């Protein structure tokens, strides 16, 4: 889908990207992460030619990005940023429909697409399509901004820390929303963040950068269970790697196929981290698990969490 081949980029004497190579497959949710100045935003902007590279090639579906006209390339890519950038005097419907309108879609097709996207982001179309940006909360504005980026059904969605300015509660809600949207749409998403917990939650693949170079490319569980270097360990948080590992595994993964016991229960999809907290607060050694339909789904033992969960389960 997208391939970086030995890409380099300098700003005067400063090398922002240094011989970087990377492949992003269709349908992946790739998160670029690293400290400030690591090159992650520069890398993202190179994909739609908001930044140019000095050496190497970037391919989109096997074709070099400079073989496309800029407008053609960018219309194939949705772009969502922290500042949202909604047009203040346009309704939500007109904001979302701006790119489809540029592409010559009919009014009926645009209206149908707006309805679909608002429903996807849990915004009632009949309530929100006629509202203006100032009538929306910060989280709702971000939802509309991402919906606009998806409006013309682009091949790729680029996201540059779109939820960075939001408060933690709204941010957490939108992270889960974005994960659900990716699963529902199957889009290729490339996202920049500085937040390791966000990367672990959302990504199918994490790309950790340092000084314009790739330090490690891995799935979230692999990054924690098999860090490539001390730099990776320190970046993800040396003191709480174990807790982060628990966050990536469900209670169902350690459930014993035992009959239901007296006492409370937890959804089987609960993370092991949440299960540990629940068991500690309730002073329990075991807890029943229930599936999405509310049926019994086994029993989780505290001893199994600490005896089995972790790198060996990868």
């Amino acid at each position: 889908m997208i391939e970086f081949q030995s890409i380099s980029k300098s700003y005067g004497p400063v090398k922002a990207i240094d011989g970087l190579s990377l492949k992003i497959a269709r349908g992946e949710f790739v998160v670029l992460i690293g400290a400030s100045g690591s090159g992650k935003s520069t890398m993202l902007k190179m994909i739609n030619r908001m930044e140019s590279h000095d050496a190497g090639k970037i391919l989109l579906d096997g074709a070099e990005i400079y073989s496309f006209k800029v407008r053609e390339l960018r219309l194939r890519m949705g772009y969502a940023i922290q500042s949202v950038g909604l047009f203040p005097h346009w309704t939500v419907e007109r904001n979302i429909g701006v790119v489809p309108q540029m592409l010559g879609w009919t009014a009926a097709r645009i209206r149908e697409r707006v309805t679909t996207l608002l429903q996807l982001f849990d915004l009632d179309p009949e309530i929100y399509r006629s509202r203006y940006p100032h009538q929306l909360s910060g989280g709702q504005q971000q939802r509309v901004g991402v919906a606009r980026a998806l409006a013309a059904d682009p091949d790729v969605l680029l996201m540059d820390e779109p939820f960075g300015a939001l408060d933690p509660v709204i941010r957490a809600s939108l992270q889960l929303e974005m994960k659900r949207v990716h699963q529902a749409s199957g889009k290729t998403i490339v996202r920049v963040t500085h937040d390791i917990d966000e990367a672990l939650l959302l990504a199918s693949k994490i790309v950790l950068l340092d000084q314009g170079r790739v330090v490690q490319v891995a799935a979230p569980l692999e990054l924690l269970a098999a860090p490539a270097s001390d730099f990776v360990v320190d970046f993800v948080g040396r003191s709480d790697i174990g807790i982060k590992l628990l966050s990536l595994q469900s209670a169902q993964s350690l459930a014993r196929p035992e009959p239901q016991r007296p006492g409370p229960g937890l959804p089987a999809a609960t993370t092991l981290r949440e299960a540990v907290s629940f068991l500690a607060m309730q002073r329990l050694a075991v807890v029943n698990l229930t599936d999405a339909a509310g049926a019994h789904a086994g029993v989780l033992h505290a001893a199994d969490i600490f005896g089995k969960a972790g790198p060996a389960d990868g």
Side-chain angles (χ1 to χ4, degrees):
M1 179 63 176
I2 301 171
E3 184 175 356
F4 291 77
Q5 296 181 344
S6 301
I7 294 297
S8 293
K9 169 71 175 179
S10 296
Y11 296 100
V14 179
K15 183 157 280 191
I17 303 292
D18 188 6
L20 186 149
S21 294
L22 177 71
K23 291 183 179 180
I24 298 172
R26 186 176 299 278
E28 282 192 308
F29 195 138
V30 175
V31 175
L32 309 178
I33 192 165
S36 179
S38 61
K40 53 189 185 295
S41 289
T42 299
M43 188 176 166
L44 186 81
K45 291 174 181 176
M46 285 179 177
I47 296 173
N48 69 353
R49 288 173 55 182
M50 289 183 70
E51 292 280 0
S52 60
H53 48 279
D54 301 331
K57 291 183 178 180
I58 300 175
L59 308 181
L60 175 66
D61 286 335
E64 217 280 333
I65 61 169
Y66 281 97
S67 68
F68 299 94
K69 294 180 179 179
V70 173
R71 185 177 184 274
E72 177 189 357
L73 180 71
R74 291 178 181 170
L75 286 175
R76 294 184 63 177
M77 300 179 183
Y79 190 60
I81 57 177
Q82 186 178 104
S83 60
V84 187
L86 298 178
F87 298 105
H89 303 301
W90 287 8
T91 63
V92 164
E93 180 159 33
R94 191 175 178 192
N95 266 286
I96 294 175
V98 62
V99 174
Q101 186 177 38
M102 290 170 60
L103 292 172
W105 290 24
T106 65
R109 186 183 176 193
I110 292 173
R111 185 174 179 82
E112 181 180 357
R113 181 62 174 161
V114 169
T115 298
T116 299
L117 288 167
L118 288 175
Q119 290 172 338
L120 185 65
F121 283 93
D122 200 25
L123 295 170
D124 186 332
E126 298 315 307
I127 294 175
Y128 289 99
R129 71 166 73 247
S130 60
R131 288 192 177 178
Y132 290 86
H134 73 272
Q135 296 173 312
L136 307 177
S137 68
Q140 290 167 346
Q141 288 184 31
Q142 288 291 355
R143 280 181 166 89
V144 172
V146 180
R148 181 177 63 183
L150 289 169
D153 200 20
D155 297 331
V156 181
L157 177 59
L158 307 177
M159 307 182 75
D160 197 350
E161 302 205 64
F163 307 151
L166 299 174
D167 70 62
V169 174
I170 295 175
R171 181 178 175 132
S173 172
L174 288 179
Q175 287 168 353
L176 293 175
E177 191 85 358
M178 203 60 236
K179 188 168 186 175
R180 182 182 63 79
V181 167
H182 176 249
Q183 292 169 346
S185 68
K187 291 293 179 188
T188 304
I189 300 177
V190 187
R191 181 184 180 112
V192 164
T193 185
H194 65 277
D195 184 341
I196 183 61
D197 290 318
E198 179 171 273
L200 293 170
L201 174 68
L202 296 176
S204 58
K205 183 164 72 180
I206 294 174
V207 180
L208 178 56
L209 301 170
D210 182 43
Q211 297 181 351
R213 300 186 184 94
V214 173
V215 178
Q216 186 169 0
V217 179
L221 191 59
E222 181 189 353
L223 189 77
L224 295 177
S229 65
D230 283 344
F231 175 86
V232 179
V233 174
D234 289 334
F235 189 89
V236 301
R238 185 180 295 270
S239 64
D240 61 353
I241 285 181
I243 295 297
K244 286 184 168 71
L245 277 166
L246 293 179
S247 297
L248 296 180
Q249 299 169 85
S250 71
Q252 184 67 65
S253 68
L254 294 182
R256 294 188 194 182
E258 298 175 350
Q260 186 171 353
R261 300 191 177 202
L266 284 174
T270 298
T271 68
L272 289 176
R273 180 175 182 171
E274 293 166 334
V276 166
S277 177
F278 180 84
L279 288 165
M281 289 179 65
Q282 300 295 323
R283 298 187 179 182
L284 297 172
V286 298
V287 64
N288 297 304
L289 299 178
T290 56
D291 63 20
H296 180 66
V299 177
L300 177 68
H301 290 247
D304 290 347
I305 298 175
F306 300 109
K308 298 179 184 178
D313 284 8

